[in-house]
């Protein structure tokens, strides 16, 4: 019989006896059971397996960037934007902050029921430096001092924060001058909307987004290109990679940035050139960061 293709294997659950091979060194099965990623009998069902795979891959990519934060800051603040059930935060706390005995993890989440659950679990597990706060990310991004109660996060992370919530996370991290910003974007509709309205007919590049299906795909791609350039223009070094195999998630692009300089004029110029060709200057991310991108990224008249 032929071996199953990878996407089928990834969709299978894993028996308790084989679960250890799916975990990271030092990863606590008891924590994963508390998070309901492992069943009571220690099995990993197919959905939980996909989620754990995403989280563990992201942890592996973040770790080399986050360890220096722990080394260089007495008590760094890590922000999980659009935290949901807080899986990423719990894993980061378990593997990084708990052993270090330092650092704080704050999840920001709009749904009160999820916030309450995260805080209950943190209390139960004794994760005293992990908490969730309820509200819209934009509240913290647009505050006088972007951050949590005036404390700027050293890292802003957003795994599948919906549509423009990813941009709220970027605005927050850029304004707070966070050392590390990492986003794995989710669904994206804003640029597809901006590309509509007959603009395809007026532009030589229009065939790229004339059909609604292409508009959605091109809009999503362009969104992440603009996000990467905006980060670079603000002095971040940016790597764009696949998070994990497509068999685990279709929303799989990781934009991983760390601050290396105050700003980058070349990236700003490239952003300006792109915006001159495409009718997306009204993108919220660009409008909200207009002061720090000015005058180059201002929408064309
Ligand atoms: C797809 S879930 C991802 C959750 C989690 N990061 C994960 O990967 O398991 C996106 C979460 O972001 C939250 N969210 C969406 N927009 C938000 C906003 N503007 N401010 C705060 N949370 C938001 C949603 O309520 C939801 O729980």
């Amino acid at each position: 019989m032929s071996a199953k293709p990878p996407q089928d294997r990834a969709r299978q659950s894993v028996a308790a006896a084989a679960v250890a091979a799916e975990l990271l060194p030092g990863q606590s099965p008891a924590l994963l059971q508390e998070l309901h990623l492992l069943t009571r009998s220690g099995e990993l069902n197919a959905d939980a397996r996909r989620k754990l795979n995403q989280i563990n891959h992201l942890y592996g990519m973040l770790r080399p960037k986050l360890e220096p934060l722990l080394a260089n800051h007495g008590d760094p603040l890590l922000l999980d934007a659009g935290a949901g059930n807080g899986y990423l935060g719990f894993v980061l706390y378990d593997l990084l902050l708990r052993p270090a005995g330092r650092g704080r993890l704050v999840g920001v989440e709009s749904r009160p029921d999820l916030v309450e659950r995260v805080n209950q679990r943190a209390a139960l597990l004794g994760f005293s430096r992990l908490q969730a706060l309820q509200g819209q990310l934009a509240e913290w991004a647009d505050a006088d001092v972007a951050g949590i109660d005036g404390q700027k996060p050293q890292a802003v992370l957003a795994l599948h924060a919906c549509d423009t919530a990813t941009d709220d996370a970027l605005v927050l991290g850029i304004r707070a001058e966070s050392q590390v910003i990492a986003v794995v974007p989710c669904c994206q509709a804003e640029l597809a909307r901006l590309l509509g309205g007959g603009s395809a007919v007026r532009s030589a590049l229009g065939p790229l987004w004339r059909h609604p299906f292409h508009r959605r795909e091109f809009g999503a791609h362009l969104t992440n290109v603009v996000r990467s350039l905006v980060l670079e223009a603000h002095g971040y070094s940016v790597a764009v990679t696949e998070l994990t195999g497509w068999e685990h998630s279709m929303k799989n692009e990781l934009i991983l940035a760390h601050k290396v300089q105050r700003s980058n004029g070349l990236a700003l110029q490239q952003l300006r050139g792109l915006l001159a060709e495409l009718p997306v200057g009204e993108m919220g991310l660009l409008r909200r960061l207009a002061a720090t991108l000015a005058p180059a990224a201002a929408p064309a008249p």
Side-chain angles (χ1 to χ4, degrees), residues 51 82-84 87 109-111 114 135-137 159-160 162 165 168:
K51 193 74 221 173
Y87 298 136
E109 168 56 50
S110 54
R111 277 180 51 186
L114 298 183
Q136 296 291 328
L137 277 163
L159 176 59
H160 296 157
C162 320
D168 293 332

Side-chain angles (χ1 to χ4, degrees), residues 14-61:
V14 179
V19 158
E22 302 278 325
L23 306 186
L24 295 172
Q27 192 157 37
S28 150
L31 168 67
L32 300 180
Q33 273 178 322
E34 178 50 39
L35 297 178
H36 294 183
L37 286 170
L38 289 184
T39 65
R40 279 194 193 161
S41 48
E43 288 152 5
L44 188 57
N45 71 36
D47 280 346
R49 186 183 188 188
R50 270 197 297 276
K51 193 74 221 173
L52 185 63
N53 199 289
Q54 287 166 21
I55 303 273
N56 283 355
H57 265 83
L58 186 53
Y59 172 78
M61 285 160 141

Side-chain angles (χ1 to χ4, degrees), residues 51 54-55 58 80-89 108-114 133-140 157-166 168-169 184 186-187 251:
K51 193 74 221 173
Q54 287 166 21
I55 303 273
L58 186 53
D80 181 10
N85 282 305
Y87 298 136
L88 176 63
V108 166
E109 168 56 50
S110 54
R111 277 180 51 186
D113 56 324
L114 298 183
L133 297 175
Q134 195 266 322
Q136 296 291 328
L137 277 163
E139 293 168 29
W140 286 277
L157 318 168
L159 176 59
H160 296 157
C162 320
D163 197 8
T164 53
T166 295
D168 293 332
V184 181
C186 194
C187 45
K251 296 157 187 165

Side-chain angles (χ1 to χ4, degrees), residues 80-281:
D80 181 10
N85 282 305
Y87 298 136
L88 176 63
F90 280 108
V91 167
L92 282 168
Y93 192 99
D94 187 37
L95 294 177
L96 206 62
L97 301 192
R98 193 165 56 87
R102 291 181 294 111
R104 202 152 69 94
L105 193 307
V106 172
V108 166
E109 168 56 50
S110 54
R111 277 180 51 186
D113 56 324
L114 298 183
V115 169
E116 195 183 332
R117 189 185 300 162
V118 168
N119 286 331
Q120 277 172 356
R121 280 177 169 157
L124 193 80
L125 292 157
F127 286 11
S128 58
R129 289 170 284 115
L130 186 155
Q131 74 176 125
L133 297 175
Q134 195 266 322
Q136 296 291 328
L137 277 163
E139 293 168 29
W140 286 277
D142 295 335
D144 287 344
V145 178
I148 300 300
D149 301 333
Q151 192 189 342
K152 296 181 173 189
Q154 277 68 43
V156 174
L157 318 168
L159 176 59
H160 296 157
C162 320
D163 197 8
T164 53
T166 295
D167 295 319
D168 293 332
L170 293 176
V171 171
L172 201 162
I174 286 170
R175 287 186 177 151
E177 300 188 332
S178 301
Q179 290 301 302
V180 177
I181 301 178
V183 297
V184 181
C186 194
C187 45
Q188 297 162 9
E190 187 190 18
L191 287 206
R193 264 196 314 276
L194 290 177
L195 289 168
S199 65
V201 184
R202 295 190 292 274
S203 167
L205 296 176
L208 282 171
W209 67 87
R210 184 162 55 93
H211 297 289
F213 183 84
H214 289 162
R215 192 146 61 237
R216 197 185 65 209
E217 298 295 305
F218 180 63
H221 176 64
L222 184 58
T223 303
N224 290 341
V225 170
V226 171
R227 286 168 172 163
S228 303
L229 278 173
V230 164
L231 281 162
E232 284 175 340
H234 284 91
Y236 286 83
S237 168
V238 174
V240 180
T241 54
E242 187 183 57
L243 175 61
T244 173
W246 292 108
E247 67 274 21
H248 295 285
S249 172
M250 292 302 284
K251 296 157 187 165
N252 205 21
E253 181 170 339
L254 168 66
I255 302 174
L256 179 53
H258 69 279
K259 186 94 172 155
V260 290
Q261 56 187 325
R262 190 156 184 75
S263 60
N264 175 342
L266 181 60
L268 197 54
Q269 231 180 337
Q270 286 176 332
L271 180 60
R272 183 191 212 171
L274 193 67
L275 295 178
E277 301 290 333
L278 299 162
V280 293

